[in-house]
Amino acid sequence: MDKERVIVIDFGGQYNQLIARRVRECSVYCEIFSYKTDLGKIKAMNPKGIILTGGPSSCYGEGAASCSRELFELGIPVLGLCYGAQLMMHVLGGRVDRAPVREYGRTEVRVDTSSRLFRDVPSHTVCWMSHFDYIAEMAPGFRSVAVTADCPVAAAECPEKALYAIQFHPEVLHTIEGSKILFNFVRDICGCAGDWRMDSFVEENIASIRRKVGKGRVLCALSGGVDSSVAAVLLSKAVGEQLTCVFVDHGLLRKNEGDEVEAVFGPEGGYDLNFIRVNARERFYERLRGVSEPEAKRKIIGEEFIHVFEEEARKIGAVDFLVQGTIYPDVVESGLGGESAVIKSHHNVGGLPDCVDFKEIIEPLRSLFKDEVRKVGLELGIPEHLVFRQPFPGPGLGIRIIGEVTAEKVRIVQDADAIYREEIANAGLEWEIDQYFAALTNMRSVGVMGDERTYDYAVALRAMKTVDFMTAESAPIPYEVLNKVSSRIINEVSHVNRVLYDITSKPPGTIEFE
Ligand code: XMP
C-alpha cells in the first residue's frame, strides 16, 4: 500500500522540523531525510512532493551540501526553501552570489498571485528572510514570482516541470501567509488528498512499538511531565504488562511535585503502569556539588538518571528497551536533528554511558512538537489537566539554578516558584502563558530589610508565550501581579532580596536559563 507522503530533504537548516510539521498540518504524512540519502531510496518511496530545506552554507562553496540534477527530473514537484531554492537554481544552471544587501527578519514581499504557489495570498504581504546569498540569475525556464526591496527573486517557478523556489521561510509563523503557501504546494501542486491524521500517528506508533518490542520488557522513564506521560501511556497501550515505569525523584522537581506525580501514576492513580518511585535526591546533589558549567550539569544529571535506571532495571530483571519522552525541539537543540547545529544538549537525548545494558532506546515522540504531543495525549484519552500541563525540563531545577546546585538553593527556587505559580493562578493567567517559572540567578546583591543590610540572591521570573517552544515571546504579566509575586517572594523566601522579570524573547534568549 502506497502511503501518500511528502519528503523533506535536510540541508542543515534550523527549521526543518517546522517544515515537516506544517506539512502534517495539511494532513499529509511527512518524513525528513538527509541530503546524503541515496536518490534510489527517495524514488522508491514514491513521494508526492519534495521540499528542500534551508542550510547554513553557500551552495557554490567547496564541499557544500548538494543534490543531483536528477532529483529535479523525477517528475515529482520540488519546492526549494532558502538554501534549497538557491541550490535548485545553482544545480539547474542559474547563478547564486553573495547578496549586495543581506536580508534578515520580517520583510515586505510582493508576490505574483497568478502563480499556483500564491493562490489566495494577497499581493503585498510579510515574509521571514534570513540569507546572505541571493539568486542573481534564475535557471533557464524559470520566472520570478516574488520580489522584495532587496531581492529580485524572492520566489521563482517553472510550473511546466513543477519546480518552485522560495528565498524566504514560509514554515516560520512570521511569514504571515506561510501556511497557505505550503498548503498550496502540498495539496494543490503535489495533489495530496490530505487524509493523514494524528490518530493515524497513534495507531501506527502503537503497531510499530509492538513489532519492535515483541515479548521484550520495557522500562519507561516517567517524570510526570507531558512528554514522558504521553510516552508512558502510549507504551502501556502498546505492550501493557511488559512495561514498568520508573519515576526518579532527583530532588530537582518543583515543590511537592514528586508526591503529585505519585498520586496520578502510582498504584492509587488511574493508570496501570507498574509504577516505581526512586528517591535519589542525595546522589544527584552529591554529583552536582561544585559543578557550575551548564553543559556539565546537564550531562551529570542525564548520566545519573541512566545509572539509576540501570540499577532499577537490574532489580526488575532483564529489560530490553528504555523509553524516553524526547520530543523534537530537544533533538534539534541538542544538535541531533539531522544536519543542523548544536544549541544546548537536552537531557533525554543521547549521552548514554558506555555501560548501558538496555538493547535499545525507544523515543516515540521524537518527531513531534509540544502541541502535537498534546494532541497525541488527548487522542490517548489522557485528562486535559495533564495534557495541558506546562513543560518542565528533564534536568529540572538543575538548570533553573544558575551555577552550583545545592539543597539550599533548590529549596529557595522551589519556594519562590510555588509562590509565583500560586499568584499566576490567582490572577487567572495560568492558561494564557505557555510556560512560566522562577529561576535562581547566581547574583547576590545588597539590599535592606528592617534597617538591616542584606546580601542575598536575586530570583528571576520568566513567562513565555509560544506555540512550539522553538521561538517564544515574553508574556506581559500585569504589573500588580508582578508586584505581589515580588513582595511575597522577598517576604516569604529567606535569602532572596531581589526579584527580576526577564523579558527576553527566544531567540535570542532560550526559555530556560541554562
Ligand atoms: P529552551 O531553554 O531550549 O527550552 O528554549 C525549550 C523547551 O524545552 C524545555 N527544555 C527541556 N526539556 N529536557 C527536556 O525535556 C531538557 O534538557 C530541556 N531543556 C529545556 C524547556 O523547558 C522549554 O519548554
Side-chain angles (χ1 to χ4, degrees), residues 227 298 325 329-330 333 344-348 370 391-395 399-400 435 437 469 506 509-514:
D227 306 340
R298 281 175 174 276
D330 307 338
E333 300 203 342
K344 52 173 113 162
S345 66
H346 279 200
H347 159 57
N348 296 356
K370 194 65 143 205
F392 186 67
I399 56 165
R400 291 184 181 171
Q435 190 170 10
F437 56 86
F469 297 82
K506 172 185 179 176
T510 53
I511 294 174
E512 303 290 347
F513 284 72
E514 290 194 332

Side-chain angles (χ1 to χ4, degrees), residues 91-111:
V91 170
L92 296 178
R95 189 164 58 84
V96 175
D97 241 326
R98 183 57 46 130
V101 180
R102 180 177 187 265
E103 286 181 304
Y104 183 80
R106 286 188 173 89
T107 308
E108 282 185 26
V109 60
R110 268 190 297 128
V111 305

Side-chain angles (χ1 to χ4, degrees), residues 123-421:
S123 56
H124 283 67
T125 180
V126 169
C127 68
W128 181 261
M129 282 285 193
S130 176
H131 66 115
F132 46 80
D133 282 344
Y134 81 130
I135 297 166
E137 236 174 72
M138 285 175 285
F142 280 82
R143 69 176 187 117
S144 170
V145 288
V147 291
T148 69
D150 294 309
C151 186
V153 186
E157 67 172 21
C158 175
E160 301 76 24
K161 294 185 177 157
L163 301 180
Y164 296 83
I166 303 180
Q167 179 59 70
F168 54 87
H169 289 275
E171 69 277 23
V172 171
L173 286 177
H174 303 300
T175 297
I176 294 171
E177 302 290 340
S179 293
K180 198 178 286 166
I181 297 167
L182 287 172
F183 186 93
N184 287 343
F185 177 72
V186 168
R187 297 287 291 273
D188 179 28
I189 294 168
C190 300
C192 291
D195 43 19
W196 186 84
R197 299 275 177 280
M198 218 23 128
D199 53 3
S200 335
F201 175 91
V202 171
E203 276 166 33
E204 281 164 20
N205 237 287
I206 288 178
S208 88
I209 291 168
R210 274 195 196 129
R211 270 196 307 276
K212 186 167 184 172
V213 170
K215 295 202 180 324
R217 292 198 65 182
V218 185
L219 183 61
C220 176
L222 179 63
S223 72
V226 183
D227 306 340
S228 68
S229 302
V230 171
V233 175
L234 191 63
L235 259 291
S236 83
K237 300 247 173 188
V239 300
E241 278 296 301
Q242 287 155 260
L243 172 71
T244 303
C245 286
V246 173
F247 166 54
V248 175
D249 185 345
H250 52 19
L252 300 166
L253 296 167
R254 285 170 288 210
K255 195 171 179 174
N256 302 330
E257 195 166 27
D259 296 340
E260 286 164 17
V261 171
E262 186 167 354
V264 176
F265 292 104
E268 313 293 318
Y271 300 95
D272 202 5
L273 299 172
N274 292 320
F275 178 89
I276 296 173
R277 176 174 179 176
V278 188
N279 291 314
R281 99 179 28 213
E282 296 311 327
R283 47 192 282 192
F284 278 87
Y285 292 172
E286 186 51 41
R287 285 215 49 201
L288 287 167
R289 190 200 304 233
V291 183
S292 57
E293 205 279 314
E295 283 298 295
K297 291 199 294 186
R298 281 175 174 276
K299 247 202 185 85
I300 288 173
I301 298 169
E303 278 176 13
E304 198 59 21
F305 230 94
I306 299 284
H307 289 313
V308 174
F309 275 114
E310 283 178 328
E311 288 175 20
E312 217 43 53
R314 269 184 226 118
K315 283 187 214 154
I316 296 164
V319 169
D320 306 286
F321 299 92
L322 177 68
V323 182
Q324 291 196 303
T326 318
I327 70 169
Y328 185 70
D330 307 338
V331 178
V332 70
E333 300 203 342
S334 294
L336 299 176
E339 308 294 334
S340 58
V342 184
I343 310 294
K344 52 173 113 162
S345 66
H346 279 200
H347 159 57
N348 296 356
V349 186
L352 293 182
D354 296 339
C355 53
V356 139
D357 49 12
F358 307 101
K359 230 198 280 175
E360 223 178 305
I361 297 261
I362 301 181
E363 296 175 314
L365 312 176
R366 197 179 162 89
S367 65
L368 301 184
F369 286 86
K370 194 65 143 205
D371 55 319
E372 294 179 310
V373 173
R374 293 198 165 112
K375 281 186 198 144
V376 172
L378 292 176
E379 204 61 55
L380 288 167
I382 301 176
E384 287 194 9
H385 74 272
L386 289 180
V387 167
F388 289 102
R389 196 171 173 167
Q390 61 170 307
F392 186 67
L397 302 178
I399 56 165
R400 291 184 181 171
I401 293 170
I402 300 175
E404 188 188 3
V405 174
T406 63
E408 160 83 331
K409 286 181 176 176
V410 171
R411 194 263 319 152
I412 294 175
V413 78
Q414 278 179 337
D415 287 348
D417 184 67
I419 291 171
Y420 185 32
R421 283 190 287 143

Side-chain angles (χ1 to χ4, degrees), residues 406-444:
T406 63
E408 160 83 331
K409 286 181 176 176
V410 171
R411 194 263 319 152
I412 294 175
V413 78
Q414 278 179 337
D415 287 348
D417 184 67
I419 291 171
Y420 185 32
R421 283 190 287 143
E422 202 177 302
E423 289 304 329
I424 290 284
N426 286 343
L429 293 171
E430 57 187 328
W431 298 113
E432 284 176 32
I433 310 172
D434 300 295
Q435 190 170 10
Y436 54 96
F437 56 86
L440 187 62
T441 74
N442 210 9
M443 181 189 94
R444 296 174 79 189

